[in-house]
Amino acid sequence: MTETNADHNDSYPPTAEFAAAANADASLYERATADREGFWAEQANRLHWHQPFTHTLDWTNPPIARWFHDGKLNVAYNCLDRHVLDGHGDQVAIHFEGEPGDTRAITYTELLTEVSRAANYLTELGLITGDRVAIYMPMIPEAIIAILACARLGLPHSVV
């Protein structure tokens, strides 16, 4: 382990160039503080909802908070399909670097094709919505494909 000392920095602010190219700035925090539910509703509306939510936060049964509980979305659709449909299919979705020299660039279209293929195979095996799936794989692109295939089919899964 390394030792900390008085010369150790607890924060590492970004360079001005990096901050200027960021997707967000401090105003994001101010908007979230001023109207928490409105802020999160705005963020959630950036996703595609198959059934739009009408309630942002249901806090009627504390300590259980239910966010967007009456809406329905599909994570795989939001991760893949909408990007391909919006014309970004040729953009790289995953840059993978494994062992030295092992690299892959997978586009949204290629990833969508592989996820669809995996989801079809899971269906051929007889899995249906609600079945549980355990994924035991190293962090390689195929693990992401398996996770997204489960999400596409509505299969609860755990990654180990």
Side-chain angles (χ1 to χ4, degrees):
M1 289 190 65
T2 60
E3 293 183 25
T4 58
N5 58 42
D7 296 331
H8 175 74
N9 289 332
D10 287 332
S11 67
Y12 301 90
T15 64
E17 300 81 35
F18 185 84
N23 291 324
D25 58 23
S27 68
L28 198 67
Y29 296 105
E30 295 164 8
R31 287 187 9 239
T33 301
D35 178 11
R36 179 178 61 152
E37 287 186 40
F39 173 81
W40 285 112
E42 178 185 324
Q43 301 312 306
N45 280 318
R46 295 171 59 192
L47 300 172
H48 174 270
W49 291 82
H50 294 294
Q51 177 181 318
F53 61 91
T54 59
H55 295 93
T56 302
L57 174 61
D58 176 5
W59 196 245
T60 58
N61 188 24
I64 299 168
R66 295 179 359 157
W67 290 89
F68 317 111
H69 70 91
D70 60 342
K72 293 187 189 300
L73 57 73
N74 184 284
V75 172
Y77 184 92
N78 277 286
C79 288
L80 299 172
D81 302 62
R82 71 184 188 126
H83 296 297
V84 173
L85 292 171
D86 287 345
H88 303 289
D90 291 336
Q91 290 181 347
V92 174
I94 298 175
H95 284 287
F96 173 75
E97 291 194 31
E99 297 299 321
D102 181 17
T103 62
R104 288 170 60 191
I106 304 169
T107 66
Y108 282 104
T109 299
E110 292 167 338
L111 188 57
L112 177 58
T113 299
E114 291 302 315
V115 167
S116 297
R117 183 176 292 136
N120 288 338
Y121 184 68
L122 292 172
T123 301
E124 284 179 26
L125 289 174
L127 278 84
I128 59 172
T129 299
D131 285 350
R132 305 262 189 273
V133 175
I135 300 171
Y136 185 74
M137 298 176 74
M139 286 312 303
I140 57 176
E142 288 75 14
I144 297 167
I145 291 166
I147 292 167
L148 288 171
C150 288
R152 177 171 296 287
L153 298 174
L155 302 172
H157 59 279
S158 58
V159 180
V160 291

